[in-house]
Amino acid sequence: MPRVPLCPSQNGSFQAVPKRVSWLLLPALFAAAPLRAQDPLPAQILTLTSEARTHLYQLAGTIEAPQTISASFRSGGRILSVSVNPGDRVALGDEIARVDPTQANAARDAAASTLAGAEAALTEASVNQSRVQTRLSGGVATRAELDAATQTLAGAQAQRDQAAARLSAATRALDDTVLHAPKDAIVTARSAEPGQIAGPGQPVVTLASGTAREAVFYAPDSIDLEAFLHQPITLTLIGQNAAAQNAPLTATLNEVSPVVDPTTGTVRVKAQLSNPPADAPRPPMPPRSAPPCSAPPCSAPPCSAKSPFPSPPLSTCPGTP
């Protein structure tokens, strides 16, 4: 049974207080109680610094010539010799390769014999036409005889011209059995060997003309390559060519292929060498690109930027994670 609270009266006796009054007093008592203090929170002072992030990527590629020429025989034949190798420099008119000239020699000799016979027939027709002309002037020949002699002379002249054209073609075919350099260039590829039968127009060697050179790389598609257009990169020769290099080469990224290779998942990237020296590398030659780029500064404790690529890819800067 619940207890009824007692309250003293004016005459010193105690009286029972109704229950609703006690419930009104309890909230007031709780409100007057002091709040308990909480434990102090730990605080740490950090100093934020701004640092520039540098992403350095490397990618192996090749140095190539933007302008190439495929040297081939006009008529083809069995190759007797190839006088150049990849990397050789050739001047205008230098011999590159040679095919068997036996058939060309025979054709040239036959054409020369035909021309000699045509010239003899032309001489005879010319003499006969002059004799008839003289007889007609003396009244011992007719106009019909002169017309026939003149027609014979014209036919002999036409046959002589045709024989001369055939001889010229045969001589040119004989000259074509020796392949000459069309201009000053560098041999970049050799596609034929002695003993091989080369067809008309089949490439024997590939030549790089001019002094312009470009570096070609295949970069991962995960890199923001568009951010590198017109940015400088540094090229360092690798392999057997590294010992011959005096100083690193510089190039400017000028082309990014919009097509991704479905097999390798890479993108073809080209960089134009900036002012290549006179002894520029002879393509093809494998360089390694080392293009450092500075990313926007970061403010964090600590500031760090690491490459997400385990193998050396091409450098990327803006927008790189």
Side-chain angles (χ1 to χ4, degrees):
M1 181 176 181
R3 297 180 179 180
V4 179
L6 300 179
C7 183
S9 62
Q10 295 179 354
N11 55 9
S13 60
F14 290 90
Q15 297 180 354
V17 180
K19 185 175 182 180
R20 67 176 180 272
V21 178
S22 65
W23 287 109
L24 295 175
L25 295 176
L26 290 176
L29 295 176
F30 284 116
L35 296 177
R36 183 179 179 182
Q38 297 181 355
D39 296 335
L41 297 177
Q44 183 179 3
I45 299 177
L46 300 179
T47 301
L48 300 181
T49 60
S50 179
E51 298 180 1
R53 297 176 297 175
T54 299
H55 298 275
L56 179 61
Y57 301 116
Q58 292 184 341
L59 190 69
T62 57
I63 293 179
E64 300 179 1
Q67 299 178 356
T68 58
I69 303 172
S70 295
S72 59
F73 290 103
R74 187 187 302 271
S75 301
R78 185 173 63 87
I79 298 177
L80 296 180
S81 63
V82 179
S83 306
V84 296
N85 294 301
D88 292 346
R89 292 183 181 272
V90 294
L92 174 64
D94 287 351
E95 179 178 333
I96 295 177
R98 184 184 295 266
V99 295
D100 187 0
T102 302
Q103 294 183 355
N105 274 323
R108 197 260 319 258
D109 293 343
S113 299
T114 301
L115 177 61
E119 288 179 343
L122 176 61
T123 301
E124 181 181 356
S126 177
V127 171
N128 182 59
Q129 195 267 349
S130 299
R131 184 173 59 253
V132 173
Q133 180 69 41
T134 303
R135 290 174 59 195
L136 179 62
S137 299
V140 293
T142 63
R143 173 66 60 179
E145 292 177 341
L146 179 61
D147 292 341
T150 302
Q151 185 175 2
T152 301
L153 177 62
Q157 181 69 45
Q159 292 181 359
R160 189 265 178 193
D161 293 343
Q162 292 179 0
R166 286 193 293 268
L167 177 60
S168 177
T171 302
R172 185 169 58 252
L174 180 60
D175 293 339
D176 289 340
T177 59
V178 180
L179 185 61
H180 298 278
K183 59 172 59 178
D184 297 347
I186 298 176
V187 180
T188 61
R190 174 170 165 170
S191 306
E193 298 298 332
Q196 179 179 343
I197 302 299
Q202 178 181 344
V204 177
V205 296
T206 302
L207 305 175
S209 61
T211 59
R213 298 291 180 267
E214 62 183 8
V216 180
F217 305 95
Y218 289 89
D221 185 39
S222 55
I223 302 177
D224 184 11
L225 297 172
E226 297 294 337
F228 291 108
L229 284 174
H230 311 299
Q231 289 197 12
I233 63 175
T234 302
L235 302 178
T236 303
L237 301 183
I238 59 177
Q240 298 178 353
N241 305 296
Q245 183 179 15
N246 296 326
L249 303 175
T250 59
T252 302
L253 193 70
N254 61 348
E255 181 180 338
V256 177
S257 175
V259 180
V260 179
D261 192 320
T263 303
T264 62
T266 57
V267 177
R268 183 182 177 94
V269 181
K270 295 182 179 180
Q272 187 73 31
L273 267 67
S274 303
N275 299 325
D279 56 347
R282 305 178 182 182
M285 181 173 288
R288 181 186 298 275
S289 70
C293 292
S294 299
C298 62
S299 297
C303 175
S304 62
K306 297 182 179 180
S307 168
F309 304 100
S311 59
L314 188 66
S315 163
T316 82
C317 245
T320 303

